Amino acid sequence: MRELIEKVFLRHFGMHAGLADSASISVDGSSLAYTTDSFVVDPLFFPGGNIGKLAVSGTVNDLSTCGAIPKFISCGFIIEEGFRIADLDKIVESMASEAKKAGVRIVTGDTKVVKRDQCDKLYINTSGIGYLPEDRKHICTGETIRPGDKIIVSGTLGDHAITILSEREGLTTGHQLESDVAPLNNLTEKILGQPENIRFMRDITRGGLATILAEICENKTFGIEIEEGRIPVRESVRSISELYGFNPLFLANEGKMLFIVKKETDEKILRQLHTEETGKDATIIGEVTEEHQGIAVLKSVIGGKRIIEMLGGEILPRIC
Amino acid sequence: MRELIEKVFLRHFGMHAGLADSASISVDGSSLAYTTDSFVVDPLFFPGGNIGKLAVSGTVNDLSTCGAIPKFISCGFIIEEGFRIADLDKIVESMASEAKKAGVRIVTGDTKVVKRDQCDKLYINTSGIGYLPEDRKHICTGETIRPGDKIIVSGTLGDHAITILSEREGLTTGHQLESDVAPLNNLTEKILGQPENIRFMRDITRGGLATILAEICENKTFGIEIEEGRIPVRESVRSISELYGFNPLFLANEGKMLFIVKKETDEKILRQLHTEETGKDATIIGEVTEEHQGIAVLKSVIGGKRIIEMLGGEILPRIC
């Protein structure tokens, strides 16, 4: 289905499938980033957030990941008849609060109500506009990545996906599980004072870290090597992942960023990341290599190496 | 429901409910118009168009109506599992073709697939960005409207709503019915060479002409008077409207614009409108008055006058 859809859209719209989550556009001489996402997460409320927080964070992060400064958000609501106003109020309140945190304004919106069984409670679409400074344009394309660069993840992997799974399956564990959903633009701005030190950023959503790393290398004259032992994963996430046969490297996050940074500045950037709540567990997990060009490799704890592949299908439907 | 929702959104987002279909925003010194809409029309295909054509036209028109020049569009698709790829292809093809006609680029998109009965076949959200020239900013607010100004509608009223109704109810009439759905930016650009002559524009969608006229006058120091006999309505639309007890003044259109123009330039503007296919039936239907301040009035064919009220509820669900 996904492949067919992409063929349909790409063919008719003349889009090119690239790494970017946002489109770079130019209006009246200004460079902007522009993005959209529909949110159909089930359940609507989950530990750590709800569909509204997810929508604002997701759109802010799609802009931030390109180096853009998120400015404005639009929202479209499709609501099933009979949906509780009290729940809608909580969701909208949380959108407003996340927008405030991220320094973006929700400026335009639309609401459609459909009959019972014509939508599953509530779907939200958000789009976003960000300002893209000239000296950050390389961050979206990754064109300055070179061997020796260090690879950093902003925190633990798999929290969002496993939280949604647990809610849906009614799993009770001894551990506290919570989605990591959060806007990350305050985190990215923290390290963008010297944008030339940042080679690439990407929020680690559908497809997980593995898919991003494989995509970055594809057809390039460099490789990537990361160390399994350095990848931060919560014990609760690891144990549920094992139970279901999931690899946290492929799981979706909603408040995690991958950074590729200039080698000499890695420790300084790490310290800057650690000053933000959303980056307190940031870790250097590997580097860009001259070897195995075009291929991302995982070095296991016991020293073995294996190729990191892209995620083929979809592990969990409706996680965002 | 609508009232409650508006209270929820306006309260949390700090938006103000205004006349405008688009938000005016400023990024890096440039003035932009920004809008969003979700489309849930049923049926997806109808005489004159489909949900894709509707989505692109609707967003282009929300930008054009403010005097903005539409530039970029985003689209988010929520698709029910099992939806026919051939139908999706037709819809996407028609979006691409309308975008081309309107001179806008569809630059970013998103697709979510949900299970059967979690959506009614297909919903589309579009957002749009337009460039808003400095000398057109009065068009959105209507701040230059004054007594004597002429009121023009770009063509026949009610075509879209009655077409959708007929398709849904399986009505067969002797007359050909077709939705008027179309992007109107080529029409509005035709008359915007001298923007000071155009006091106000508004695409005549949900709520119909009546609601717009009542809104324009509300709390203002002018009134509006239109002549029933001058309002263009197709015979087929009129007869079905009578059958269902609808007044075409309240029916939604998807390719019709209301213009308020400087008195001295009305005939010239009318001639300009007539040169475009989407404006060939444009008609002067009334004027802005000094009398009955704050109130829009309809002069009937036999000379009686009655107050034009806003539409209270929703005549037809899911017409867009």
Side-chain angles (χ1 to χ4, degrees):
Chain A
M1 182 77 175
R2 179 182 302 264
E3 198 184 320
L4 270 167
I5 288 169
E6 282 180 357
K7 276 180 191 163
V8 168
F9 294 129
L10 299 182
R11 186 160 59 86
H12 290 303
F13 293 159
M15 291 175 185
H16 46 92
L19 281 173
D21 286 335
S22 303
S24 293
I25 60 174
S26 172
V27 187
D28 189 32
S30 297
S31 289
L32 308 177
Y34 186 27
T35 187
T36 191
D37 259 321
S38 296
F39 294 86
V40 298
V41 67
D42 173 37
L44 294 179
F45 294 89
F46 47 83
N50 61 52
I51 187 173
K53 181 174 181 182
L54 196 62
V56 171
S57 302
T59 294
V60 164
N61 294 346
D62 277 349
L63 296 171
S64 308
T65 194
C66 285
I69 301 167
K71 292 284 185 188
F72 299 100
I73 283 184
S74 75
C75 53
F77 292 78
I78 299 174
I79 305 173
E80 190 179 9
E81 203 176 68
F83 187 68
R84 289 184 60 222
I85 297 289
D87 284 340
L88 186 64
D89 193 74
K90 267 186 227 159
I91 288 164
V92 173
E93 185 180 20
S94 129
M95 293 179 79
S97 136
E98 293 305 311
K100 200 176 168 188
K101 223 183 277 176
V104 296
R105 282 175 54 208
I106 299 172
V107 289
T108 184
D110 174 61
T111 302
K112 295 288 185 306
V113 178
V114 296
K115 291 222 171 78
R116 273 174 209 276
D117 300 326
Q118 294 181 347
C119 133
D120 190 11
K121 297 181 283 293
L122 172 70
Y123 298 146
I124 299 178
N125 176 283
T126 40
S127 79
I129 300 175
Y131 168 56
L132 186 56
E134 203 58 38
D135 58 1
R136 296 182 180 188
K137 287 189 172 171
H138 64 283
I139 291 172
C140 213
T141 62
E143 66 201 45
T144 64
I145 298 173
R146 61 198 61 175
D149 288 348
K150 294 292 180 180
I151 296 167
I152 299 176
V153 292
S154 65
T156 54
L157 296 186
D159 299 10
H160 179 73
I162 294 300
T163 302
I164 296 294
L165 172 72
S166 302
E167 284 297 296
R168 231 184 268 167
E169 305 274 294
L171 299 185
T172 49
T173 62
H175 311 278
Q176 187 71 32
L177 270 174
E178 196 170 86
S179 165
D180 56 353
V181 56
L184 297 176
N185 57 327
N186 294 327
L187 183 69
T188 55
E189 283 306 315
K190 206 89 191 182
I191 60 168
L192 279 169
Q194 288 172 296
E196 67 279 11
N197 294 339
I198 312 301
R199 312 288 206 185
F200 183 77
M201 304 195 299
R202 171 54 69 90
D203 58 328
I204 311 170
T205 53
R206 279 197 286 184
L209 179 66
T211 303
I212 298 173
L213 294 177
E215 278 178 0
I216 296 170
C217 292
E218 203 176 25
N219 302 320
K220 294 295 187 321
T221 56
F222 56 78
I224 279 178
E225 189 167 303
I226 59 169
E227 290 182 47
E228 191 170 27
R230 286 174 161 267
I231 298 166
V233 179
R234 276 183 216 290
E235 199 40 49
S236 51
V237 169
R238 191 182 300 280
S239 60
I240 295 176
S241 294
E242 275 171 16
L243 195 66
Y244 281 81
F246 296 151
N247 181 341
L249 277 188
F250 289 101
L251 293 177
N253 311 272
E254 292 294 338
K256 292 291 146 48
M257 194 69 78
L258 166 85
F259 303 99
I260 301 185
V261 306
K262 200 189 268 183
K263 187 183 176 178
E264 298 74 22
T265 58
D266 61 344
E267 289 296 336
K268 181 181 158 206
I269 289 168
L270 204 61
R271 279 194 303 273
Q272 288 169 328
L273 293 173
H274 287 161
T275 63
E276 285 281 317
E277 177 62 25
T278 50
K280 65 180 195 311
D281 298 324
T283 311
I284 298 170
I285 59 165
E287 61 181 25
V288 178
T289 61
E290 280 191 72
E291 297 80 53
H292 48 81
Q293 296 186 355
I295 291 169
V297 162
L298 180 76
K299 223 168 95 184
S300 78
V301 182
I302 53 164
K305 287 186 180 185
R306 63 174 197 272
I307 293 176
I308 299 173
E309 313 261 15
M310 291 185 207
L311 181 61
E314 191 168 41
I315 293 182
L316 291 165
R318 297 185 59 189
I319 53 161
C320 67
Chain B
M1 183 74 177
R2 180 183 301 263
E3 200 185 319
L4 269 167
I5 288 168
E6 282 182 357
K7 277 181 189 160
V8 169
F9 293 129
L10 299 182
R11 186 161 58 85
H12 289 303
F13 293 159
M15 290 176 187
H16 47 92
L19 281 174
D21 286 334
S22 302
S24 293
I25 60 174
S26 172
V27 188
D28 189 32
S30 297
S31 289
L32 307 178
Y34 186 26
T35 188
T36 190
D37 259 320
S38 297
F39 294 86
V40 298
V41 67
D42 173 39
L44 295 179
F45 295 89
F46 47 82
N50 61 53
I51 187 172
K53 182 174 180 182
L54 196 61
V56 170
S57 301
T59 294
V60 164
N61 293 347
D62 277 350
L63 296 170
S64 308
T65 195
C66 285
I69 301 167
K71 293 285 186 189
F72 299 100
I73 284 184
S74 76
C75 54
F77 292 77
I78 299 175
I79 305 173
E80 190 179 8
E81 203 176 69
F83 187 69
R84 289 184 59 221
I85 296 291
D87 285 340
L88 185 65
D89 193 73
K90 267 186 228 160
I91 289 164
V92 173
E93 185 180 22
S94 130
M95 294 180 78
S97 137
E98 293 305 311
K100 199 175 169 192
K101 224 183 278 177
V104 297
R105 281 175 53 208
I106 298 172
V107 289
T108 183
D110 174 61
T111 302
K112 296 285 187 308
V113 178
V114 296
K115 290 222 171 78
R116 273 175 209 274
D117 300 325
Q118 294 181 346
C119 131
D120 188 11
K121 298 181 282 291
L122 173 68
Y123 299 146
I124 299 179
N125 176 285
T126 40
S127 79
I129 299 175
Y131 167 57
L132 186 55
E134 201 58 39
D135 58 3
R136 297 183 179 186
K137 286 187 174 170
H138 63 284
I139 291 171
C140 213
T141 62
E143 66 201 47
T144 64
I145 297 174
R146 62 199 60 174
D149 287 348
K150 294 293 179 179
I151 296 168
I152 299 174
V153 292
S154 65
T156 54
L157 297 186
D159 299 9
H160 179 72
I162 295 300
T163 302
I164 297 294
L165 173 72
S166 302
E167 285 296 299
R168 231 184 268 169
E169 305 274 294
L171 299 184
T172 48
T173 63
H175 310 276
Q176 187 70 32
L177 271 173
E178 197 169 86
S179 166
D180 57 353
V181 55
L184 296 176
N185 58 327
N186 294 328
L187 183 68
T188 56
E189 283 306 315
K190 205 90 192 182
I191 61 167
L192 279 168
Q194 289 173 295
E196 66 280 11
N197 294 340
I198 312 301
R199 312 290 206 184
F200 183 77
M201 302 195 300
R202 172 55 71 87
D203 59 328
I204 312 169
T205 53
R206 279 199 282 186
L209 179 65
T211 303
I212 297 173
L213 293 177
E215 278 179 0
I216 295 170
C217 293
E218 202 176 25
N219 302 319
K220 293 296 184 326
T221 55
F222 57 78
I224 280 177
E225 191 167 302
I226 60 168
E227 290 182 48
E228 192 170 25
R230 287 173 163 269
I231 297 166
V233 179
R234 273 183 220 291
E235 200 40 50
S236 51
V237 169
R238 193 181 300 281
S239 59
I240 296 176
S241 295
E242 275 169 16
L243 195 67
Y244 281 81
F246 296 151
N247 182 342
L249 279 187
F250 290 101
L251 293 177
N253 310 273
E254 292 294 339
K256 291 293 147 47
M257 194 69 77
L258 167 84
F259 303 99
I260 301 185
V261 307
K262 201 188 267 182
K263 188 184 176 178
E264 298 75 23
T265 59
D266 61 344
E267 288 296 336
K268 182 183 156 202
I269 289 168
L270 204 60
R271 279 194 302 273
Q272 289 170 329
L273 293 173
H274 287 162
T275 64
E276 285 280 319
E277 177 63 25
T278 49
K280 67 178 193 310
D281 297 323
T283 310
I284 299 171
I285 58 164
E287 59 180 27
V288 178
T289 62
E290 281 192 68
E291 297 80 53
H292 48 79
Q293 296 185 355
I295 292 170
V297 163
L298 181 75
K299 223 167 94 186
S300 78
V301 182
I302 54 164
K305 287 187 181 185
R306 62 172 198 274
I307 293 176
I308 300 173
E309 314 259 16
M310 290 186 208
L311 182 63
E314 190 167 43
I315 293 182
L316 291 165
R318 295 186 60 188
I319 54 161
C320 67

